[in-house]
Amino acid sequence: MFDAADTRKPCPSCVTAAERDTTNQRQKTMLTDRATGSGLGRCESRYTICCRRVAVLEGRNQAEDAQKARLIAIEAFNEEDSSQYKLLLRILHDQTIICREQHDDQAVDELHQTVIGKFRRIFGHQHDVTIRAMHDYGRILCRDKRYEQAEALYRLLVDKMGRSTGRETAAALCLFTALGSVYIKRQKLKEAKTILARAVFGFKAMYGEEHASTVAAAYYLGGVYQALGKFPRAMHMYRMAAYGFERVEGINHGTTIAAFRKLAALCVDCGKADEAEHAYKRALHGLEAAGEQDSAEVLVLKLELGILYREQKKFNDAEVVLVEAHQGLSEAQSGYAPGALTCLGTVYACQGMDVEAEASFKSAVRGFSACSPEYSAMSCAAAFSLGNLARRRHRLEEAEAMYRQAWEDARSIGGLNHITTCTIAHALISLYEEQGKYEEADSIYELIVSADQQQLDPWTSYVLCLNFHQMTGYI
């Protein structure tokens, strides 16, 4: 006979801890199976009902109500809904767009922190789903230039992974690349080098050298090595990035073109003119393939290639390219047009064509006089080049006026002690002494030695030096 007493549930105090854990796990498995349709039946959770409500309200164009329903759905997501995480990410994405349109950064932060917190609890810190959610949030922080917060977010996971002995996943390696790019923005170059080298090594082991993720990490690492003065390593990384991007994305892809430009500029600095020429031509070919043959970027690249031809003493090629660059930049009313004229003048001066050189330099000086002050870093080179030519032709008063103008332009940007300003000042002092104007020479000397050291940011200092060197390269 059936004993009704057998149907009674045991007293909780009579159930062991192990039995309770087993029972709880079975209940979670049953709920998950039913939610995903993999069990005997399908049950609905509060989350799935909320998601359906969101879809209905969106279909009715009830935006305000749909927005409220999304927030409820995000809050309702739990363990039994783990297989529905992609739907949660879509809801998060849609809600984030609305909050960003309303310029509500606090709401964006709260949304992503809520979702990441749930993913950590349900999937764990190192699960790909958690990592991708953190990466998406980090991208938003970087887009808003909140690099300190992005670094803290990425470091939270990277530090945990540093204590793990398991193999790093693709998602984790992508996070390393993202953290490296943030370190670069924050000028933490040693940290960037370490984490990006880890990303490159990991991607190479996982996918090989020709994978998009490998070459992207290599591209960032190349920039770090260049900033640290480790040029051979930087060149190796830029080669891997440039030719890797060309194979993976195509020659007309923006990152491929940028990588070839970086490689070309570094090869110029390292005296590898032939490789630099090839890299410039690949970049130009990429821009032409992308239908950008008339863009300002092409014209600036031609300007850089013309300077390289001048250094290689390929004067005919340099003249052709620089004339094309100047014509295009003039039509675009670009402030770089007088710079192209200055470079063209140096090509003529190298060949002893003083009349042509003087006409180019004078046109460049006039052109810069009509430009905004941001082009002073190049204008001083035009005036200085004209001063050198006038001095060579024994027109000393004209040379003095041009040197003085160049000196004023350079000191307005770099101060009295910058290497470019001092180079021009040295020429002016020597010209004064050549004319017996010792008081004028002494006054400039005293100004320089008594001036406080002006600290330029590294990039401005580099641009001033680079422009001056390239514009007056024949000296």
Side-chain angles (χ1 to χ4, degrees):
M1 186 173 178
F2 183 74
D3 187 354
D6 291 338
T7 65
R8 291 179 299 171
K9 294 181 181 178
C11 175
S13 62
C14 299
V15 180
T16 65
E19 288 172 333
R20 279 198 301 270
D21 290 343
T22 302
T23 301
N24 290 337
Q25 185 59 44
R26 284 175 180 167
Q27 289 173 342
K28 284 185 179 180
T29 302
M30 180 185 69
L31 286 170
T32 301
D33 287 345
R34 288 179 177 175
T36 59
S38 59
L40 294 175
R42 178 181 177 87
C43 66
E44 302 294 342
S45 69
R46 181 169 178 261
Y47 166 73
T48 57
I49 290 174
C50 290
C51 290
R52 284 190 175 86
R53 182 62 177 164
V54 170
V56 169
L57 293 170
E58 286 176 343
R60 296 174 182 172
N61 293 321
Q62 294 176 243
E64 189 174 339
D65 291 335
Q67 185 174 345
K68 293 176 183 176
R70 284 192 208 97
L71 295 175
I72 295 171
I74 291 170
E75 195 61 43
F77 185 83
N78 220 320
E79 284 92 341
E80 61 267 24
D81 308 304
S82 59
S83 64
Q84 306 280 337
Y85 73 89
K86 289 183 179 178
L87 180 55
L88 178 66
L89 290 175
R90 187 188 70 78
I91 290 172
L92 173 65
H93 175 266
D94 293 345
Q95 192 66 20
T96 298
I97 290 175
I98 292 170
C99 292
R100 286 180 67 80
E101 288 174 351
Q102 296 170 349
H103 304 288
D104 193 346
D105 291 338
Q106 183 177 348
V108 171
D109 292 341
E110 290 173 355
L111 285 169
H112 284 269
Q113 288 164 8
T114 297
V115 171
I116 290 169
K118 287 177 178 288
F119 284 175
R120 282 181 188 154
R121 176 170 54 81
I122 296 169
F123 299 108
H125 288 305
Q126 298 184 38
H127 195 281
D128 280 0
V129 173
T130 308
I131 293 172
R132 285 167 183 161
M134 295 177 73
H135 199 180
D136 289 342
Y137 182 35
R139 285 197 188 108
I140 292 173
L141 294 173
C142 290
R143 201 177 301 138
D144 295 340
K145 302 189 187 308
R146 292 190 281 166
Y147 299 120
E148 186 175 355
Q149 288 174 259
E151 178 187 339
L153 176 73
Y154 292 148
R155 280 288 304 274
L156 180 68
L157 180 62
V158 170
D159 288 346
K160 285 184 177 295
M161 296 191 69
R163 297 191 290 270
S164 172
T165 57
R167 185 177 177 183
E168 288 152 349
T169 65
L173 293 172
C174 287
L175 202 69
F176 293 168
T177 303
L179 177 57
S181 68
V182 171
Y183 279 144
I184 292 170
K185 294 291 186 182
R186 303 198 68 203
Q187 294 296 308
K188 294 185 175 183
L189 298 181
K190 290 183 179 179
E191 293 90 338
K193 181 191 75 172
T194 301
I195 199 70
L196 287 170
R198 190 173 167 185
V200 171
F201 178 81
F203 280 129
K204 281 176 68 176
M206 187 175 294
Y207 299 125
E209 283 195 2
E210 297 188 5
H211 191 270
S213 299
T214 309
V215 295
Y219 179 73
Y220 283 121
L221 184 56
V224 173
Y225 280 139
Q226 184 176 9
L228 291 171
K230 298 182 178 182
F231 298 134
R233 292 185 182 182
M235 204 174 298
H236 175 67
M237 288 296 116
Y238 279 145
R239 285 191 193 107
M240 185 191 300
Y243 293 101
F245 275 127
E246 182 176 6
R247 286 187 289 269
V248 173
E249 304 287 358
I251 189 62
N252 61 340
H253 193 269
T255 313
T256 306
I257 296 164
F260 273 116
R261 286 194 69 174
K262 296 260 188 190
L263 177 60
L266 185 58
C267 287
V268 168
D269 290 342
C270 294
K272 295 184 176 291
D274 291 341
E275 185 174 0
E277 180 182 349
H278 179 73
Y280 274 131
K281 287 180 176 178
R282 296 308 297 156
L284 282 168
H285 177 60
L287 286 165
E288 289 166 2
E292 299 289 334
Q293 58 268 23
D294 298 322
S295 67
E297 190 175 359
V298 165
L299 297 171
V300 172
L301 264 178
K302 286 184 176 180
L303 174 57
E304 294 172 2
L305 181 59
I307 292 169
L308 177 64
Y309 281 145
R310 182 194 65 199
E311 299 300 312
Q312 295 175 290
K313 300 190 185 307
K314 297 180 179 179
F315 298 126
N316 289 337
D317 292 336
E319 181 178 353
V320 170
V321 171
L322 289 171
V323 167
E324 287 179 4
H326 173 252
Q327 182 177 348
L329 291 166
S330 295
E331 290 172 359
Q333 297 183 329
S334 169
Y336 285 102
L341 268 181
T342 305
C343 294
L344 183 60
T346 63
V347 171
Y348 291 138
C350 286
Q351 302 173 83
M353 301 166 64
D354 288 356
V355 174
E356 293 84 350
E358 182 175 355
S360 293
F361 291 145
K362 284 184 174 180
S363 293
V365 170
R366 285 195 302 270
F368 278 124
S369 67
C371 290
S372 62
E374 66 182 291
Y375 294 100
S376 296
M378 291 190 292
S379 65
C380 63
F384 186 66
S385 297
L386 183 55
N388 283 332
L389 188 63
R391 186 175 185 180
R392 192 166 78 185
R393 303 184 75 179
H394 306 290
R395 304 204 307 258
L396 301 188
E397 286 187 9
E398 184 180 343
E400 179 183 330
M402 288 297 100
Y403 282 159
R404 192 89 194 185
Q405 180 177 329
W407 185 55
E408 294 292 348
D409 286 343
R411 67 186 284 196
S412 69
I413 301 173
L416 285 165
N417 290 311
H418 190 272
I419 186 170
T420 300
T421 313
C422 289
T423 300
I424 299 170
H426 178 268
L428 182 56
I429 289 171
S430 67
L431 180 61
Y432 278 141
E433 291 175 342
E434 184 181 330
Q435 298 176 87
K437 298 181 178 180
Y438 299 112
E439 288 185 7
E440 289 88 339
D442 289 344
S443 68
I444 292 178
Y445 174 78
E446 291 296 333
L447 272 175
I448 293 171
V449 298
S450 62
D452 293 331
Q453 189 72 25
Q454 182 174 342
Q455 293 295 329
L456 279 180
D457 66 274
W459 177 248
T460 303
S461 180
Y462 171 75
V463 169
L464 183 56
C465 286
L466 180 66
N467 283 332
F468 186 77
H469 169 73
Q470 289 184 332
M471 298 294 132
T472 63
Y474 79 98
I475 299 169

